[in-house]
Amino acid sequence: LAKASQEHRAIVGPQLLNSDGSLQPNGRGFPTLAAKVRNRLRGDDQRYQLFGEGDEARPVVWLMGAAVLGHRREIDRIGGWDPHFFLYYEDSDLGMRSWSANVPVLLIPTAQLLHGWARETAGGFRLMPWRREIASMTKFYARYPSLLLSAPTVERMHSTITEAVFPALEARDAG
């Protein structure tokens, strides 16, 4: 990861694996409100859940915060992790700010990490995790109101990110 971060001057993350060795979708597409809701309900959106496969670095809009690395100069360029977020959306924010600062966000499939994924808001209802999620969600979409719009609109508005991330998707889907 350190080599990839240095080589690409990027924020990078490994391909996360579930305990059974299957791939976790830790690369993500645009964190539109609709995509996040669909992901919670169905979890099968191929333009939102992105995987790293093969040997090539995969551009993504953002990486799940479980494992993210960047060289100090890039972290400083984007202002580091925003302390206004306490759980949830801090990783989405980091990705959006990275791309805004011309720092790519890459999923490195040759680096893999076992990740015991346990989401606090999954399963039975508990108030505190949902309060945290809603508080962070409110801050995030206040900062990025364009992400409340439709996916095609968001992709047009953020064309630099779209050109970097989605051609890789289109090429993979065609093959």
Side-chain angles (χ1 to χ4, degrees):
L1 287 177
K3 181 181 175 192
S5 176
Q6 180 76 17
E7 182 180 311
H8 298 287
R9 299 181 77 95
I11 300 301
V12 299
Q15 173 58 64
L16 296 181
L17 304 174
N18 294 307
S19 59
D20 66 0
S22 61
L23 301 179
Q24 258 181 37
N26 62 302
R28 298 298 171 115
F30 283 104
T32 65
L33 182 58
K36 292 195 111 6
V37 169
R38 264 193 321 275
N39 185 56
R40 284 296 186 85
L41 296 175
R42 292 193 332 241
D44 64 351
D45 186 344
Q46 293 182 349
R47 289 184 76 80
Y48 185 66
Q49 294 186 346
L50 308 178
F51 300 90
E53 298 173 302
D55 294 333
E56 297 298 315
R58 166 89 186 266
V60 296
V61 178
W62 62 283
L63 293 158
M64 282 178 30
V68 177
L69 182 124
H71 191 276
R72 180 63 186 233
R73 75 178 161 258
E74 277 72 49
I75 297 295
D76 286 346
R77 254 175 81 192
I78 62 175
W81 294 94
D82 187 334
H84 291 100
F85 292 98
F86 177 71
L87 294 175
Y88 309 114
Y89 294 86
E90 71 280 0
D91 40 14
S92 302
D93 174 66
L94 187 77
M96 294 300 291
R97 286 187 294 114
S98 294
W99 285 107
S100 291
N102 295 315
V103 175
V105 180
L106 304 174
L107 181 57
I108 309 301
T110 55
Q112 297 184 342
L113 179 72
L114 188 63
H115 177 237
W117 197 1
R119 186 169 183 86
E120 275 192 310
T121 53
F125 180 78
R126 293 183 321 214
L127 182 60
M128 189 52 71
W130 280 103
R131 288 180 68 189
R132 288 186 193 123
E133 171 121 9
I134 291 167
S136 289
M137 179 190 301
T138 302
K139 291 173 193 168
F140 181 78
Y141 290 112
R143 182 174 288 175
Y144 303 100
S146 68
L147 295 175
L148 294 169
L149 302 173
S150 71
T153 302
V154 169
E155 290 178 11
R156 280 192 305 276
M157 292 176 75
H158 298 280
S159 60
T160 301
I161 302 171
T162 302
E163 290 167 11
V165 174
F166 293 109
L169 251 182
E170 302 305 328
R172 189 192 84 205
D173 290 343

